[in-house]
Amino acid sequence: METTENQLEPTAEPQIILSDEAQYYLQKAGQWAYFLGIVGFVLSGIFVLGSLFVGSIFSMMSKLQPEAATPYPAAMGGFLSFVYILLAVFYFFFSLYIYQFGSRIKNGILHSNSAEITTAFGKLKSFFKLWGITTIVIISLYALIFIAAIIGGAIGIMSSR
């Protein structure tokens, strides 16, 4: 018994053609992304500047506190400087990805360059991937804090008996 297989010729992938309205929306989204990227770079710089000053502010505050009151620890300034720099780095990468999306999508739509548009969507994917990973980390930290608070509360209740 012979079986014949129908072999289909490989067909080219279907092309996505964007309407003028869709291109207009992408162009406007690119302009806003470009703007938000620039604002993000400026805010990252402000975070870095703040990290330089918060250490010296806390050091000065620890010296000015009288001995009777609880003084601010001088090391707190170093810790806050580290936190500010960490926030600046995170904010910089979010801003970088959204800026790259904005500038590339604008150029790609303007010059009808599909390679540039593809690269722009790759940057948008990276932005959302970073956002998703950050969200997972924050939710995990919240869960750990919640569990630690429950355990701490249970220990507090048990020790008071």
Side-chain angles (χ1 to χ4, degrees):
M1 181 187 266
E2 275 184 42
T3 59
T4 56
E5 295 180 19
N6 292 336
Q7 292 187 1
L8 299 174
E9 293 290 320
T11 59
E13 293 183 22
Q15 297 292 322
I16 297 175
I17 299 173
L18 297 176
S19 67
D20 289 339
E21 187 177 11
Q23 289 181 24
Y24 171 79
Y25 291 149
L26 279 174
Q27 181 76 16
K28 289 301 176 184
Q31 289 173 352
W32 282 108
Y34 186 81
F35 168 75
L36 290 174
I38 291 173
V39 170
F41 291 144
V42 170
L43 289 177
S44 293
I46 290 172
F47 275 132
V48 169
L49 285 176
S51 74
L52 298 175
F53 292 113
V54 75
S56 52
I57 289 171
F58 267 86
S59 294
M60 186 178 6
M61 286 175 60
S62 68
K63 292 177 185 174
L64 295 177
Q65 286 290 330
E67 294 297 324
T70 306
Y72 291 106
M76 186 66 160
F79 174 74
L80 283 178
S81 292
F82 173 75
V83 169
Y84 271 49
I85 289 174
L86 190 65
L87 287 174
V89 168
F90 276 124
Y91 210 77
F92 174 80
F93 280 107
F94 280 112
S95 301
L96 178 65
Y97 288 139
I98 203 71
Y99 173 83
Q100 288 175 336
F101 165 73
S103 65
R104 291 177 187 268
I105 200 74
K106 284 188 336 180
N107 289 337
I109 295 293
L110 183 64
H111 301 296
S112 298
N113 186 345
S114 63
E116 191 78 7
I117 293 171
T118 302
T119 305
F121 280 123
K123 298 302 179 183
L124 187 63
K125 177 211 57 103
S126 297
F127 172 80
F128 282 117
K129 184 178 179 181
L130 180 62
W131 189 256
I133 291 170
T134 303
T135 302
I136 290 168
V137 168
I138 289 173
I139 289 172
S140 300
L141 287 175
Y142 282 161
L144 287 174
I145 291 169
F146 183 71
I147 291 169
I150 289 174
I151 292 171
I155 290 172
I157 290 173
M158 298 295 265
S159 66
S160 67
R161 290 185 178 183

